[in-house]
Amino acid sequence: MKYDRIVIKEETAKIDTLKGYPVVGIDSAEISSIGIIDTVLVVVTPHSNAYLNFYALRDLKFLGKYGTRGDSSYQFMNPRYDNQYYVKDNETYFYLTDYRKNLYLKFNFRKVLEDTIVRPEWTVRLPPYLISGYASLLGWRDSLIYGSSISSRYKGRFFVYDIKKRKTSWIKNFSKVDSVDIPASAEAYYYYAQNAFNMKKGIMASAMTLFKRVDFVIPDSNKIQTSIFENAATRPIPVIKPGNAMMPYADTKTYYITTYGGNNYLYALCLNKEYANYFQENSNMELHIFSWDGQLKKIYYLDQSYLGFFAVDEKQNKLYTIKYRNESKPVVVRYDLPAEINQ
């Protein structure tokens, strides 16, 4: 594996502030995630009468829903949509992972809209060791599944699972930060990251939570491109929180919360402050936009915090995100991105 590194000077990025607007017409007691399938917004609601709810991006008109809870092949137990879809011969296909069932599934979107009990196009039963609530499973070409493993029990940080051969290859990339020797028992904490995948380019991006860096994994060229901010190298090493290795202390500087892989760019929500600030509704967050070769293109200040999963409509330059609220149910918030970002 070849390793390249880009050092980013944050002051060179153009910084603007964006204002968010609540989206009218999307209402749920609980929204677990949000995504895009071509021209459609997908809202995942785990405790309603359907997991997947579809809205046209053009006008946010409700189109239909799919996926009740159960054991049948058209039902789910714990589905996750990681914004993976492609269009071929005028048909749109999308992928889901059902973590409770250990399944990776492919659906024809047209059929899902027409029939609420249509079965998936194909189903892959995955090894239990690849299923984790902390890792995204990102497929490519219906033959490989990429992901990250942050457990010291496994053989690397990233993996490539060959569906036909049922074989897993590992990429270590447990690089030491500031030359500090990180104990194996703490690697799950230090290397926790949010992943996204560009299905056209075959690149997986992994944005770290406790370090201000993004790794771009390019398996076809046997290469990892790391983008790290210049000031991040001087940050203090995080302290492990006893009893919960996946949660930082309230005063630990925290960076990437979640990501979205667009065709044009990688988008990453960055807290860039102590973890306790994430839950403050009067705080704010940053949106970092990277090219898929690791260059930082833009930073936007978002006027709100406590934001979770999000998706970007690159055709209409709109970002949709879940806004959590301490005293009431979450809402979907829209940010309008400047048109020049995707020109």
Side-chain angles (χ1 to χ4, degrees), residues 269-317:
L269 278 183
C270 184
L271 183 60
N272 203 23
K273 60 188 70 172
E274 287 71 25
Y275 185 62
N277 288 276
Y278 177 62
F279 306 98
Q280 303 301 315
E281 294 185 18
N282 59 350
S283 183
N284 57 26
M285 297 181 70
E286 299 176 6
L287 175 68
H288 292 190
I289 302 178
F290 294 86
S291 62
W292 284 98
D293 60 1
Q295 300 290 339
L296 178 67
K297 306 299 289 185
K298 187 79 175 183
I299 294 177
Y300 290 109
Y301 290 140
L302 305 183
D303 67 339
Q304 301 184 46
S305 187
Y306 214 178
L307 302 177
F309 289 103
F310 71 101
V312 177
D313 179 358
E314 292 185 322
K315 296 178 182 178
Q316 300 188 72
N317 300 304

Side-chain angles (χ1 to χ4, degrees), residues 107-273:
F107 291 90
N108 181 305
F109 186 50
R110 174 183 56 80
K111 295 179 182 179
V112 164
L113 286 178
E114 294 174 349
D115 184 355
T116 57
I117 60 171
V118 68
R119 286 166 170 72
E121 299 292 297
W122 57 252
T123 301
V124 177
R125 185 168 297 279
L126 298 170
Y129 63 83
L130 293 186
I131 296 292
S132 167
Y134 301 112
S136 300
L137 299 178
L138 307 167
W140 193 32
R141 298 173 178 168
D142 288 355
S143 60
L144 302 173
I145 296 176
Y146 296 97
S148 65
S149 171
I150 48 177
S151 171
S152 58
R153 295 179 298 163
Y154 304 142
K155 301 175 183 178
R157 179 178 166 202
F158 304 110
F159 63 80
V160 183
Y161 179 72
D162 190 309
I163 293 174
K164 294 182 179 179
K165 297 180 181 179
R166 298 183 180 180
K167 181 181 179 181
T168 306
S169 302
W170 298 90
I171 303 171
K172 289 190 174 182
N173 197 37
F174 289 122
S175 53
K176 304 306 178 185
V177 181
D178 285 354
S179 300
V180 173
D181 186 19
I182 300 172
S185 60
E187 283 178 343
Y189 175 81
Y190 285 108
Y191 291 97
Y192 186 55
Q194 307 295 330
N195 301 323
F197 194 79
N198 187 310
M199 297 186 70
K200 291 186 175 181
K201 299 179 182 294
I203 301 175
M204 184 177 76
S206 182
M208 298 182 72
T209 298
L210 297 183
F211 296 101
K212 204 172 183 181
R213 61 180 272 178
V214 181
D215 297 298
F216 294 85
V217 184
I218 315 169
D220 275 358
S221 59
N222 201 34
K223 176 182 176 181
I224 294 180
Q225 171 77 61
T226 295
S227 299
I228 187 167
F229 284 79
E230 185 178 41
N231 61 353
T234 62
R235 301 305 307 173
I237 297 297
V239 180
I240 299 174
K241 186 174 183 178
N244 190 346
M246 295 311 301
M247 294 291 288
Y249 278 125
D251 59 354
T252 297
K253 193 72 175 286
T254 305
Y255 298 102
Y256 294 110
I257 301 296
T258 186
T259 57
Y260 176 82
N263 289 328
N264 300 332
Y265 297 108
L266 168 74
Y267 305 82
L269 278 183
C270 184
L271 183 60
N272 203 23
K273 60 188 70 172

Side-chain angles (χ1 to χ4, degrees), residues 45-52 66-79 96-103 105 107 116-120 123 125:
T45 55
H47 298 301
S48 62
N49 59 357
Y51 279 104
L52 307 180
Y66 177 81
T68 56
R69 184 179 181 87
D71 295 324
S72 298
S73 60
Y74 56 87
Q75 293 179 309
F76 306 122
M77 293 297 291
N78 185 19
L96 289 174
T97 305
D98 193 321
Y99 284 93
R100 189 74 61 85
K101 293 184 177 182
N102 282 15
L103 295 178
L105 310 115
F107 291 90
T116 57
I117 60 171
V118 68
R119 286 166 170 72
T123 301
R125 185 168 297 279

Side-chain angles (χ1 to χ4, degrees), residues 25-45:
I26 299 178
D27 189 22
S28 174
E30 182 174 349
I31 304 173
S32 63
S33 63
I34 194 168
I36 286 176
I37 301 175
D38 197 17
T39 59
V40 174
L41 186 71
V42 184
V43 178
V44 182
T45 55

